[in-house]
Amino acid sequence: MVADILSQQIPIILNALFLAAVLFLLGTGLSIIYGMLNFLNLAHAAFLMLGAYVASTVVSQTVGIIGGSVGEVVLFAAFMVGMIVVVPAIVSAVGLGMEQVMFKPLYGLEDDYQLLATFGVILMMEDGMKFIWGGLPVSATEPSNILGSIDIVGSTYPVWPIFAIALTAVIAGVLYYFFEETRLGKITLAMAEDDEIVGVTGINTRRVHLQVYVIGIALAALGGALYLPNASVTTGMALQFVILAFAVLVIGGLGSLKGAIAASLLIGFMRAFSSYYVPQLELAIVFLLMAAVMLIKPTGMFGDIEV
């Protein structure tokens, strides 16, 4: 009896942690960009989708170039280099160009103008990705296939989500160290409080803005790359994730790393268990949680800025 319950619940818990990992990478990037630039960029979710699409191309090209000539260990290492380094670099370059052309003119405007404008950018980016990769679902399961599956209390579960969860935990630790211990991280936190005062000290605040913006885009792209081997990417995925990303901000608190972690875990577990037990209320439960947090603490669980 106990084994049956565990075989049913453990995969749900792992699915919850995997979704939380992806949401953390997406929500943290959005949160630090808002904290630095006071810029609510809904199009940030489209960079996760772009990361997934670019990852599919990187994986397929890697298989085509070296797939038959090396062993699985070397092939998996090549996949990781492509997904962890190449994909974020490509998407960050695209995001940097869009920042110069589309986003920079929006800085300083009211939040509602930023939300409307960046929502339009989502639709433009989705059409662009549909033009490049087509309208059919795209998948790349080769990295997951190499890792295979494990037996958990009589239930078979793929190793890839567990790998993605562990990698995201490492990234969370690196981010914490970055903000607490490094010079750029401390400057970032100071600029989130008052960038004009920081600028008076002679620090090039625009350059710091761009560095943090690129980190945020790279995190979203990595989230898309890690999501892909366990699922397929389709047009419209950005709209689904933008809702969840906004929920991470509202629940966790704008500009808070701890809030992004806590909110991602909450949403991940609520989505995973509700999709299994009450799939009709899967998204409604997230909105109910958002509403409850805003009523009790409008700044979010760990935020200082009212949403």
Side-chain angles (χ1 to χ4, degrees), residues 9 27 98 270 281:
Q9 299 301 314
M98 293 181 65
M270 294 186 74
L281 302 177

PDB file of all heavy atoms in Angstrom, residues 9 27 98 270 281:
ATOM      1  N   GLN A   9       3.103   9.209  -5.976  1.00  0.00           N
ATOM      2  CA  GLN A   9       3.378  10.577  -5.538  1.00  0.00           C
ATOM      3  C   GLN A   9       4.761  11.074  -5.929  1.00  0.00           C
ATOM      4  O   GLN A   9       4.930  12.256  -6.239  1.00  0.00           O
ATOM      5  CB  GLN A   9       3.215  10.679  -4.010  1.00  0.00           C
ATOM      6  CG  GLN A   9       1.824  10.361  -3.509  1.00  0.00           C
ATOM      7  CD  GLN A   9       0.768  11.276  -4.095  1.00  0.00           C
ATOM      8  OE1 GLN A   9       0.958  12.496  -4.143  1.00  0.00           O
ATOM      9  NE2 GLN A   9      -0.325  10.707  -4.568  1.00  0.00           N
ATOM     10  N   GLY A  27      11.614  33.216 -13.976  1.00  0.00           N
ATOM     11  CA  GLY A  27      11.168  34.275 -13.076  1.00  0.00           C
ATOM     12  C   GLY A  27      12.296  35.070 -12.475  1.00  0.00           C
ATOM     13  O   GLY A  27      12.166  36.284 -12.260  1.00  0.00           O
ATOM     14  N   MET A  98      17.370  43.435 -29.284  1.00  0.00           N
ATOM     15  CA  MET A  98      15.995  43.891 -29.049  1.00  0.00           C
ATOM     16  C   MET A  98      15.949  44.952 -27.956  1.00  0.00           C
ATOM     17  O   MET A  98      15.115  45.862 -27.998  1.00  0.00           O
ATOM     18  CB  MET A  98      15.116  42.699 -28.670  1.00  0.00           C
ATOM     19  CG  MET A  98      14.914  41.703 -29.799  1.00  0.00           C
ATOM     20  SD  MET A  98      13.865  40.321 -29.340  1.00  0.00           S
ATOM     21  CE  MET A  98      12.313  41.173 -29.053  1.00  0.00           C
ATOM     22  N   MET A 270       1.778  23.253  -6.949  1.00  0.00           N
ATOM     23  CA  MET A 270       0.335  23.417  -7.150  1.00  0.00           C
ATOM     24  C   MET A 270      -0.072  22.983  -8.554  1.00  0.00           C
ATOM     25  O   MET A 270      -1.097  22.329  -8.738  1.00  0.00           O
ATOM     26  CB  MET A 270      -0.065  24.876  -6.892  1.00  0.00           C
ATOM     27  CG  MET A 270       0.112  25.294  -5.446  1.00  0.00           C
ATOM     28  SD  MET A 270      -0.529  26.936  -5.111  1.00  0.00           S
ATOM     29  CE  MET A 270      -2.284  26.622  -5.136  1.00  0.00           C
ATOM     30  N   LEU A 281      -8.986  22.693 -12.819  1.00  0.00           N
ATOM     31  CA  LEU A 281      -8.667  23.887 -12.026  1.00  0.00           C
ATOM     32  C   LEU A 281      -7.170  24.188 -12.004  1.00  0.00           C
ATOM     33  O   LEU A 281      -6.708  24.977 -11.184  1.00  0.00           O
ATOM     34  CB  LEU A 281      -9.174  23.712 -10.589  1.00  0.00           C
ATOM     35  CG  LEU A 281     -10.674  23.459 -10.422  1.00  0.00           C
ATOM     36  CD1 LEU A 281     -11.007  23.236  -8.967  1.00  0.00           C
ATOM     37  CD2 LEU A 281     -11.480  24.625 -10.984  1.00  0.00           C
TER      38      LEU A 281
END
